[in-house]
Each structure stands twice: as C-alpha cells, then as structure tokens.
Amino acid sequence: MVYRRTHQVMKRLAARRSAILAAARDTASHGGMAAVQIAPVAVRANVAAGTVYRYFPSKADLISELIAEVARDELIAIRGAADAAPGPSSALAAALGTVALNMVTHGKLAWGILAEPVDVDVAATRLASRREITGEIETRIVAAVRAGHLPAQDTSLAATALLGALHESLVGPLAPDHLDDPARLRDVVQTATLLALRAVGVTDARARGLVVQAALPARMPAGEHAR
C-alpha cells in the first residue's frame, strides 16, 4: 500500500520549512548573510540541525531559497503598490518608492541579498531575483511610455539602470547615515524616488507631485543601518 501524506502532515511540514526560512531571514537581518549558518538557524527555528538539512541539503540551498523568498515578497509589495496607483506614472513612482523603502528599512538584509560576500555560490539566484525586480520596473516604464507620460527609450536599460542606482545609493558602503531617524529615512526614500523619476524623463514639477502621491506610509519605520 502506497503511503500518502495526510493534509495535516503536509501542513506541518510546510510550517516547519517556513519557520526555518523565517529564522534564516531574521538571522540575516541582524547579522548579515555571513551569519546564516545551519546550526544557529536551527536553534532560532527551534529544530535540530538535521531537520534543517532535511529541507535544505546544504547552506547554499538554504541561502538561495532565502534570496528567492525575499525577492518574491518584494515583488508582491512592488506590484501591490503600483497596482493601487491611479495611473501609469503614479504606478511607476509607487513601484520605485517601494523598492527604495524596502532597501532602507531592511538595509542589512538587502545588502546580503544583493552583494554581501558569502562562502557558497548563490550568484544564479541573486541574478534571477534582480531580473524579476527589473522586469517589474520595466513593465511600469513601458506603461508610462505608452500612455505618453514618458519619452520613448530603451525600457530594459532604463529599468536596469534605475535599480542599479537605487542599490548603489541606498544599500551597502555608500548608503546614507542616520536611517534610524524616521524623518531622515522618509527624506532619503523620497529623494531617491524623485531622482529615479527624473532619470526616465519625468519633468521636475511632475516628478515631485508623483513622489508626494506615491503610496508610502505617513509614518515610516526606523530603518536598519544599511552598512
């Protein structure tokens, strides 16, 4: 007789896997990607190290899935903000503002996902995550161009350049200081979003208006130190 896992067993297995990934994310958020090791993640998830290996055969598998999960969550947030906007230009502003907000409020995790040196090969997963985010930004640029709100341009190159500029300026060694101050954090997000909109051809006055309209929290949380 073939053994079939019951719904409750499947649910329990999925919950344990989620707990392990949550522990890995929490570890990376506080100590960087280098801190994501099987033993401490197991302790944080309240499981045995062997249990972690059962779900993720190697540290590379664990970190790769962590990167993919964070990218999926970011993509959902970007799409949600953009889809809630009233038009193509405001959707682009909301998307860019959400990217910037995620970077500055989760600086250490963002740096770990993007470029922090790790002793396992996760290059393919990192590249895939960047392509997904770039693709979403390009979709919003294309919509704004088609609506006549932006000049014709190489939308793929523009999206890649915008994401690169946001990463370089908001995450890692060149990230702004004092992001634990909510007012400073909000100013940084708005400034970065404004610069990105100007770069693709939004006039200054229009760009400023779009930044004000962008779906950013009225009271922004204190950010982690991005360095």
Side-chain angles (χ1 to χ4, degrees):
M1 180 177 178
V2 178
Y3 170 73
R4 289 191 177 92
R5 289 175 172 171
T6 67
H7 174 71
Q8 287 301 320
V9 170
M10 294 293 290
K11 188 176 179 181
R12 186 167 64 249
L13 292 173
R16 189 172 293 164
R17 186 178 188 276
S18 295
I20 293 169
L21 283 171
R25 184 186 293 219
D26 195 42
T27 299
S29 296
H30 290 88
M33 201 60 75
V36 181
Q37 306 288 336
I38 298 296
V41 167
V43 171
R44 192 179 288 268
N46 197 30
V47 298
T51 301
V52 176
Y53 281 114
R54 204 173 305 147
Y55 289 87
F56 305 98
S58 69
K59 186 171 77 169
D61 292 317
L62 175 59
I63 292 178
S64 289
E65 183 54 33
L66 172 60
I67 292 171
E69 182 185 68
V70 171
R72 285 193 296 270
D73 289 349
E74 184 173 4
L75 203 57
I76 290 170
I78 294 168
R79 284 176 179 163
D83 289 345
S89 293
S90 54
L92 175 59
L96 293 170
T98 302
V99 171
L101 178 61
N102 283 342
M103 288 180 186
V104 295
T105 53
H106 304 288
K108 195 165 288 187
L109 179 61
W111 174 242
I113 297 298
L114 173 67
E116 181 188 346
V118 291
D119 58 0
V120 292
D121 185 7
V122 292
T125 310
R126 278 176 163 167
L127 180 58
S129 70
R130 287 202 293 275
R131 280 178 172 158
E132 287 181 341
I133 303 302
T134 300
E136 184 62 26
I137 294 173
E138 183 182 7
T139 296
R140 305 303 171 172
I141 296 175
V142 169
V145 170
R146 287 177 176 169
H149 299 170
L150 295 179
Q153 56 194 284
D154 184 332
T155 56
S156 176
L157 180 59
T160 303
L162 290 187
L163 187 62
L166 291 174
H167 278 155
E168 185 69 13
S169 59
L170 299 179
V171 177
L174 299 180
D177 292 320
H178 308 302
L179 293 179
D180 53 340
D181 177 0
R184 165 68 170 156
L185 188 149
R186 183 176 181 84
D187 182 62
V188 165
V189 170
Q190 291 186 333
T191 298
T193 305
L194 179 63
L195 290 172
L197 290 170
R198 286 170 176 161
V200 291
V202 182
T203 61
D204 185 69
R206 176 67 171 148
R208 290 178 182 277
L210 290 172
V211 168
V212 171
Q213 294 172 18
L216 301 177
R219 295 183 63 187
M220 300 179 74
E224 301 167 4
H225 290 294
R227 298 188 176 192

